[in-house]
Amino acid sequence: MWDTEQNAGVLIYLLLADKRVEIVADRGVDRKVGHAAWEAICGAMQREFAGGGFEAGAIAGVRAISDLLATHFPPRPVNPDELPNRPLIL
């Protein structure tokens, strides 16, 4: 996630056993977005999860992050997918 051209990678880390959500953002996007935005997204996801809305919470988090990325790093004519998008379950 650290090797994108604009340093704009974002990782959503769900630790279901501890009921925690963490967002790890690369330095380029974190400089533009800031801690409060990540905390707000995490909080919204956790509230949805607490009510049993796991799918809705995950989708809302991904959409919110996508919106932030589109605002600060709008798509360019040539916009290769630099990172895999497949979920990784550990």
Side-chain angles (χ1 to χ4, degrees):
M1 95 161 222
W2 310 111
D3 293 328
T4 63
E5 182 180 337
Q6 296 183 6
N7 299 113
V10 178
L11 169 75
I12 300 172
Y13 182 70
L14 302 175
L15 185 55
L16 299 178
D18 290 342
K19 299 179 181 174
R20 289 186 45 93
V21 176
E22 292 187 29
I23 296 174
V24 181
D26 201 349
R27 61 197 171 275
V29 69
D30 194 49
R31 258 186 246 125
K32 294 181 179 218
V33 173
H35 186 73
W38 304 126
E39 287 295 318
I41 295 169
C42 283
M45 291 175 73
Q46 287 174 319
R47 284 188 296 280
E48 193 68 48
F49 293 165
F54 297 105
E55 182 178 357
I59 290 170
V62 170
R63 281 190 179 141
I65 292 169
S66 294
D67 291 345
L68 285 174
L69 289 172
T71 298
H72 296 289
F73 299 92
R76 298 175 287 180
V78 176
N79 192 22
D81 201 356
E82 298 178 74
L83 299 171
N85 291 312
R86 222 180 56 223
L88 177 62
I89 299 173
L90 303 174

